[in-house]
C-alpha cells in the first residue's frame, strides 16, 4: 500500500481519501500512465492482470499515444485507437493563406 502514499504519483488528490478498491480505475490509470516499474508490479500483484487490462481497455482513449501503444502491445489488445489520426472536417480561418 506504500504506492498509494506516493505524492508525485497522486499529486492532485488527498492521499488520505484514496481508497484502493473504490478508486481502482483512477489508481490503475495513473500507474499505467505515469507510474514506475515498481508501481506497475504492485498493481499487478494487488489487482491482477485481468483487472489492469479491463481498466486499460475501458479508458484507452484517455492515454497518450506512447502509453496507449505500449499497453496495447503488453495486453495484446487492438491498438487502432492509439494510432488513429484526428480527422479535420473544416480548417480554421487561421490556417488559410
Amino acid at each position: 500500500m506504500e504506492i498509494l502514499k506516493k505524492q508525485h504519483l497522486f499529486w492532485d488528490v488527498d492521499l488520505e481519501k484514496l481508497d484502493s478498491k473504490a478508486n481502482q480505475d483512477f489508481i490503475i490509470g495513473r500507474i499505467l500512465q505515469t507510474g514506475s516499474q515498481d508501481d506497475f508490479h504492485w498493481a499487478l500483484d494487488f489487482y491482477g492482470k485481468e483487472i489492469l487490462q479491463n481498466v486499460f481497455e475501458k479508458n484507452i482513449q484517455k492515454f497518450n499515444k506512447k502509453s496507449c501503444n505500449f499497453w496495447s502491445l503488453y495486453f495484446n489488445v487492438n491498438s487502432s485507437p492509439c494510432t488513429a489520426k484526428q480527422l479535420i472536417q473544416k480548417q480554421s480561418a487561421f490556417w488559410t493563406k
Side-chain angles (χ1 to χ4, degrees), residues 4 7 10-19 23 26:
L4 300 181
Q7 188 66 45
F10 303 106
W11 57 271
D12 57 342
V13 297
D14 184 4
L15 295 178
E16 298 301 320
K17 296 181 181 177
L18 198 60
D19 183 271
N23 306 113
F26 172 75

Side-chain angles (χ1 to χ4, degrees), residues 4-94:
L4 300 181
K5 301 296 180 194
K6 289 188 171 185
Q7 188 66 45
H8 69 278
L9 192 57
F10 303 106
W11 57 271
D12 57 342
V13 297
D14 184 4
L15 295 178
E16 298 301 320
K17 296 181 181 177
L18 198 60
D19 183 271
S20 59
K21 293 295 182 186
N23 306 113
Q24 161 178 305
D25 287 5
F26 172 75
I27 293 168
I28 292 172
R30 188 63 62 94
I31 288 173
L32 292 181
Q33 188 82 291
T34 60
S36 67
Q37 190 174 8
D38 291 335
D39 300 335
F40 172 70
H41 286 293
W42 174 85
L44 194 60
D45 291 339
F46 190 80
Y47 294 111
K49 185 175 181 178
E50 186 176 333
I51 292 175
L52 294 180
Q53 182 174 342
N54 290 340
V55 170
F56 171 71
E57 289 177 345
K58 187 169 38 172
N59 300 302
I60 196 166
Q61 298 295 334
K62 295 179 183 178
F63 286 84
N64 63 43
K65 287 185 177 185
K66 184 186 283 187
S67 296
C68 183
N69 191 48
F70 176 82
W71 293 117
S72 64
L73 291 171
Y74 179 84
F75 292 123
N76 196 23
V77 297
N78 183 10
S79 65
S80 62
C82 305
T83 57
K85 293 185 178 182
Q86 182 179 1
L87 297 176
I88 299 175
Q89 295 176 352
K90 184 178 177 184
Q91 285 186 340
S92 169
F94 295 108

